């Protein structure tokens, strides 16, 4: 027992028992740790996780309009414009007038953007592999399936 009357086992537990029953606490803590690890690993590329997310979606699903991108990643119009402006300024992304609707632009990754995206994916895949190392493949697949099920249930249909 420690000086507070609690067993050493509780003192060394990564999560207080009173919080171990909280999905919000557990998911939030795990999310923050993974986010911090990714941000640190991406620092040499000067790329934020939000920017990486935009680049991944445009690279995989593009070309997209800014409006379609915002709906796809659940990001408001102002935030989409800010991220796209920054990525365009750094020559990772380009806007091209949409021939089907001249009021909108289509987003494309540039050659530089594609190279940076490939490097960023390699980095974040390594971070994810290291982060998930304590889990077996089956455990990760179960967690992933559960998280996807929660997102499908709680996000709007287009999310």
């Amino acid at each position: 027992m420690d000086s507070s009357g609690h067993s050493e086992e509780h003192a060394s537990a990564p999560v207080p028992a009173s919080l171990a029953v909280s999905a919000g606490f557990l998911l939030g803590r795990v999310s923050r740790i993974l986010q911090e690890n990714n941000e640190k690993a991406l620092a040499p590329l000067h790329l934020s996780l939000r920017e990486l997310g935009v680049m991944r979606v445009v690279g995989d699903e593009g070309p997209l309009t800014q409006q379609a991108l915002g709906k796809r990643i659940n990001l408001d119009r102002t935030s989409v414009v800010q991220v796209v402006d920054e990525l365009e300024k750094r020559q990772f992304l380009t806007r091209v007038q949409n021939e089907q609707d001249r009021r909108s632009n289509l987003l494309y990754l540039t050659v530089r953007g594609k190279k940076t995206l490939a490097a960023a994916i390699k980095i974040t895949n390594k971070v994810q592999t290291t982060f998930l190392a304590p889990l077996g493949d089956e455990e990760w697949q179960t967690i992933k399936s559960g998280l996807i099920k929660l997102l499908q249930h709680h996000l709007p249909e287009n999310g």
Side-chain angles (χ1 to χ4, degrees):
M1 283 225 189
D2 66 13
S3 60
S4 68
H6 295 99
S7 71
E8 291 296 321
E9 182 180 314
H10 289 299
S12 66
V15 176
S18 58
L19 294 174
V21 297
S22 170
F25 176 82
L26 294 171
L27 290 169
R29 168 81 57 97
V30 168
S31 176
R32 278 191 304 281
I33 293 168
L34 184 56
Q35 184 174 352
E36 289 167 4
N37 292 350
N38 275 309
E39 287 171 350
K40 192 181 301 179
L42 289 171
L45 297 179
H46 305 287
L47 198 64
S48 73
L49 288 173
R50 181 175 277 185
E51 291 168 337
L52 174 57
V54 165
M55 290 174 68
R56 284 187 86 142
V57 172
V58 171
D60 288 346
E61 302 177 20
L64 296 170
T65 64
Q66 289 178 194
Q67 182 179 10
L69 173 66
K71 284 182 182 177
R72 189 72 181 106
I73 61 175
N74 197 29
L75 199 58
D76 65 89
R77 195 164 92 193
T78 302
S79 297
V80 170
V81 169
Q82 289 172 343
V83 174
V84 169
D85 283 350
E86 181 61 28
L87 291 171
E88 188 174 45
K89 183 173 93 177
R90 293 168 52 206
Q91 300 176 343
F92 293 152
L93 199 90
T94 187
R95 293 175 172 110
V96 176
Q97 190 172 46
N98 186 350
E99 293 298 322
Q100 270 65 21
D101 180 359
R102 293 190 172 271
R103 296 169 296 168
S104 67
N105 293 309
L106 294 173
L107 303 173
Y108 292 88
L109 288 180
T110 63
V111 171
R112 181 178 179 173
K114 289 176 185 176
K115 287 179 183 176
T116 302
L117 176 59
I121 288 172
K122 195 173 189 179
I123 289 168
T124 56
N125 284 347
K126 184 176 179 184
V127 168
Q128 179 171 301
T129 298
T130 302
F131 184 79
L132 296 175
L135 302 177
D137 288 341
E138 191 173 315
E139 288 174 300
W140 165 236
Q141 291 305 319
T142 300
I143 291 169
K144 184 172 82 170
S145 295
L147 292 171
I148 290 169
K149 187 183 282 189
L150 287 169
L151 288 170
Q152 286 171 332
H153 180 79
H154 292 289
L155 285 178
E157 272 189 48
N158 291 340

